[in-house]
Amino acid sequence: MDEIAIKLENVTKSFTFKSENLESRLFNIFSQSQKTKIMALDNITLDIKKGEVIAIIGRNGSGKTTLLRTIAGIYTPDSGNIVIDGTIAPLLHIGTGFHEELNSKENILMSGLLMGIKKDKILQKTDDIIEYAELEKFTGMKLKHYSTGMRARLAFSLALQMNPDIFLVDEILAVGDRKFQEKSFNSFVSFKEKNKTILLVTHNLGPQLEIADRVVLMDKGKIILVGDIDQVLKKYYEEYQD
Amino acid sequence: MSFLPLVNLWKVRSILVFFAIINIKLRFKGMKLGIVWTALEPTLTFVFLYIVFTSITKGPQENYGIYLLTGIILYNIFARGTSGGLSSIRSNVNIIESININKEFFPVTAVLATSILMVVQIGVFFGLMPFFQFIPVWTIIFLPVVLLLLIILILGISYILCILHVYFRDIQVIWSILIQALFFITPIIWYIDDIKDTGLGNILLAIHSINPIGQLTELTHNIVVFNTIPTLVEWTYVSIFCIGIFLFGFLIFNKYQSKIMEEL
């Protein structure tokens, strides 16, 4: 029987926003502003097996990122259960906790330490990380001078070298150039071969999606359909494409 | 997860130090004088106030310079420390958004950075003593105890402020005003004996009795300037105050820390 890496049971997460405009703030400083409740995750149940690659697709605001953040433990769900077996590397953000004023080596150390990796291990791998990210020429440069693509490469390379069991990737690869995208795609393939679990949020519905074993279609915080690529894409193009 | 402050961070103590140093680097980023400001800021404040107050009061008391300097140094550590603690969560939003991390890490790192900078300021304190031909007596060995209580107090207040800052950004402005008021209700430029038995002075004394930073300043004046050892009752009173605020601060922090993510 296949082992489960991530188990989600009836996970619900809502956000409450205050609707604010200047006029109402000026005249009602102490009264409660109007609140809008949004169901970002509405009763999500999903089992993800070890070694499985899952792609999550859906329109903007459908809850994809919230789902990854909840799995990563950044958000606490309102209700429901999440069981995770293995270490997680979240790549949810371009420059996962990177700092603008530090250079790439300092950022690797800082980010790695925050992810809970031992200092020696990070130092040992720093050169590999920089090499994979193709940033050898820019190691002394502060991160604020890096382009978006360079940051994304650094973040991806760092997460890759940390060798986690579960990879949560939020659209981050879309910013790298084509060559790097191909390279990272190949890394995903080799990850998959090592029985690692990958959860991928993507808007790229091209050939890259073929790495996925299953595709999850989300809308308004709900899972609409889980299935193979053709099946889910068909549904998506028919009903959910803008 | 422990319900006691700092316990959860013990495992990551080496990372804390690393981040405190980064925190200091970032505080002074892009400045020409950098960390030198830590020494220069209280020194210049002191010089300015010393000139003003020695020229408006006739025949200032003995050791007024050291008295004033003691208060300014403590006040400066407190003011800088708490405002660093206040913004500690918000200034690390991008880390909190991308990694599941114990959020206590941030105020503690900020206060650790304050403690490291405190060493510089205490250096200034001793460095300026020869200018007043002042030689401290043995009672100064109690100074580390006061400084420890000061750091505990700063951390306790930082726990509360950084949470408040998430929900209520205005606290940044409010706190800077309160800090200014604090300068005047704390015995920094005035002596406690001077205000006794005057109408407004009694109000000020009442405030002073519940002002933890005022109490700490009074203790420090006793051990540094007046060469007296505070009584056990005085020590206990101040300690309960500081540790009480510290524990209360953590209680508040712990209650809200899992909810702040959605507000950021």
Side-chain angles (χ1 to χ4, degrees):
Chain A
M1 212 183 86
D2 290 328
E3 282 181 277
I4 303 289
I6 303 169
K7 191 176 181 63
L8 300 167
E9 270 177 342
N10 308 98
V11 174
T12 297
K13 175 77 196 168
S14 63
F15 292 108
T16 318
F17 294 100
K18 284 177 218 143
S19 34
E20 278 186 47
N21 57 51
L22 186 65
E23 201 181 325
S24 70
R25 291 298 291 161
L26 277 178
F27 295 108
N28 310 304
I29 297 174
F30 296 106
S31 66
Q32 286 282 311
S33 43
Q34 271 200 316
K35 286 180 179 172
T36 325
K37 196 174 179 184
I38 290 171
M39 294 297 276
L41 295 179
D42 193 353
N43 216 8
I44 301 283
T45 299
L46 184 67
D47 285 351
I48 298 168
K49 294 190 226 33
K50 285 189 177 167
E52 208 175 13
V53 178
I54 302 277
I56 306 169
I57 63 170
R59 284 189 293 207
N60 287 331
S62 56
K64 307 185 291 292
T65 301
T66 308
L67 182 61
L68 288 197
R69 284 190 173 165
T70 311
I71 293 171
I74 295 165
Y75 290 143
T76 335
D78 300 345
S79 61
N81 274 319
I82 304 175
V83 184
I84 288 160
D85 185 6
T87 54
I88 296 186
L91 260 174
L92 305 177
H93 211 253
I94 296 168
T96 307
F98 285 162
H99 215 296
E100 298 288 299
E101 292 293 326
L102 304 173
N103 67 32
S104 58
K105 284 193 176 175
E106 292 168 320
N107 265 306
I108 289 170
L109 183 56
M110 189 178 97
S111 211
L113 286 173
L114 284 173
M115 288 186 201
I117 297 143
K118 290 262 181 316
K119 194 177 172 182
D120 300 343
K121 202 179 161 197
I122 304 168
L123 293 176
Q124 197 187 324
K125 287 194 166 177
T126 302
D127 289 335
D128 292 346
I129 293 168
I130 289 170
E131 194 193 320
Y132 184 92
E134 298 166 20
L135 293 169
E136 295 95 328
K137 286 179 192 161
F138 309 101
T139 47
M141 213 192 234
K142 282 182 181 173
L143 217 74
K144 62 180 175 189
H145 303 302
Y146 273 37
S147 71
T148 318
M150 287 157 87
R151 286 160 200 241
R153 264 148 52 195
L154 187 61
F156 181 71
S157 176
L158 174 66
L160 207 64
Q161 292 292 332
M162 295 312 166
N163 202 22
D165 302 320
I166 301 165
F167 227 134
L168 306 176
V169 188
D170 189 359
E171 200 58 51
I172 187 166
L173 299 175
V175 291
D177 59 22
R178 200 192 178 111
K179 199 171 126 240
F180 193 78
Q181 279 190 23
E182 273 168 23
K183 190 169 161 181
S184 44
F185 180 76
N186 292 334
S187 297
F188 277 148
V189 175
S190 71
F191 247 69
K192 195 176 166 178
E193 284 161 1
K194 285 185 210 152
N195 208 30
K196 308 257 176 189
T197 310
I198 304 171
L199 217 67
L200 201 67
V201 162
T202 185
H203 285 287
N204 186 341
L205 306 179
Q208 286 201 13
L209 207 58
E210 275 163 33
I211 193 181
D213 298 307
R214 286 190 292 164
V215 180
V216 175
L217 172 62
M218 286 186 74
D219 192 56
K220 290 176 186 150
K222 287 193 173 73
I223 291 182
I224 304 294
L225 185 64
V226 185
D228 64 42
I229 301 167
D230 298 335
Q231 188 190 357
V232 177
L233 280 186
K234 188 165 169 271
K235 177 102 174 164
Y236 179 73
Y237 285 130
E238 278 169 8
E239 293 172 41
Y240 292 98
Q241 206 186 23
D242 297 311
Chain B
M1 282 293 272
S2 166
F3 292 101
L4 286 170
L6 302 174
V7 175
N8 295 312
L9 294 174
W10 182 246
K11 275 184 293 186
V12 294
R13 59 195 181 278
S14 59
I15 310 180
L16 276 172
V17 175
F18 175 78
F19 273 80
I21 292 165
I22 287 191
N23 188 304
I24 293 172
K25 271 193 191 175
L26 295 171
R27 267 189 216 191
F28 299 106
K29 68 173 183 208
M31 292 184 195
K32 292 274 183 280
L33 289 179
I35 201 165
V36 177
W37 279 117
T38 307
L40 219 50
E41 194 193 5
T43 311
L44 293 177
T45 314
F46 166 71
V47 170
F48 178 69
L49 288 172
Y50 185 73
I51 293 171
V52 172
F53 285 100
T54 46
S55 46
I56 58 170
T57 46
K58 285 173 200 157
Q61 296 200 29
E62 196 196 349
N63 288 332
Y64 184 65
I66 288 299
Y67 183 90
L68 183 64
L69 184 63
T70 308
I72 289 174
I73 296 275
L74 285 193
Y75 170 82
N76 205 280
I77 295 168
F78 181 80
R80 290 272 159 250
T82 49
S83 47
L86 182 139
S87 57
S88 60
I89 292 279
R90 270 210 184 267
S91 58
N92 286 300
V93 173
N94 65 346
I95 294 177
I96 297 170
E97 269 181 345
S98 43
I99 300 172
N100 178 20
I101 183 172
N102 178 359
K103 291 169 194 74
E104 192 189 352
F105 188 84
F106 300 102
V108 172
T109 309
V111 175
L112 196 59
T114 301
S115 321
I116 296 170
L117 293 175
M118 184 170 81
V119 176
V120 177
Q121 287 172 312
I122 294 305
V124 170
F125 184 48
F126 284 99
L128 287 175
M129 281 179 186
F131 288 95
F132 301 95
Q133 284 100 41
F134 181 82
I135 300 158
V137 292
W138 68 275
T139 48
I140 203 160
I141 55 166
F142 287 103
L143 187 62
V145 183
V146 179
L147 296 177
L148 181 68
L149 288 172
L150 177 65
I151 289 298
I152 289 173
L153 176 70
I154 293 174
L155 184 54
I157 292 175
S158 296
Y159 279 142
I160 302 171
L161 288 177
C162 69
I163 292 287
L164 271 175
H165 191 219
V166 170
Y167 288 93
F168 187 58
R169 267 187 188 246
D170 315 41
I171 194 73
Q172 194 156 9
V173 184
I174 296 171
W175 188 248
S176 73
I177 297 166
L178 286 178
I179 283 279
Q180 267 184 39
L182 186 72
F183 185 84
F184 296 99
I185 60 168
T186 301
I188 298 172
I189 48 179
W190 46 269
Y191 287 87
I192 290 170
D193 287 342
D194 285 351
I195 59 161
K196 274 182 182 157
D197 306 319
T198 57
L200 226 59
N202 286 331
I203 299 170
L204 198 53
L205 274 181
I207 298 171
H208 172 68
S209 67
I210 52 160
N211 167 16
I213 193 74
Q215 294 294 322
L216 277 173
T217 309
E218 191 184 340
L219 280 192
T220 317
H221 281 148
N222 283 337
I223 60 175
V224 177
V225 189
F226 303 130
N227 309 335
T228 51
I229 309 167
T231 63
L232 197 62
V233 176
E234 286 173 306
W235 281 113
T236 314
Y237 181 71
V238 178
S239 304
I240 288 175
F241 226 132
C242 295
I243 294 168
I245 290 175
F246 170 68
L247 293 175
F248 176 73
F250 183 74
L251 206 71
I252 299 282
F253 185 85
N254 212 28
K255 188 166 187 294
Y256 286 97
Q257 64 148 336
S258 63
K259 298 170 192 159
I260 53 176
M261 183 55 215
E262 286 133 47
E263 298 289 327
L264 289 167

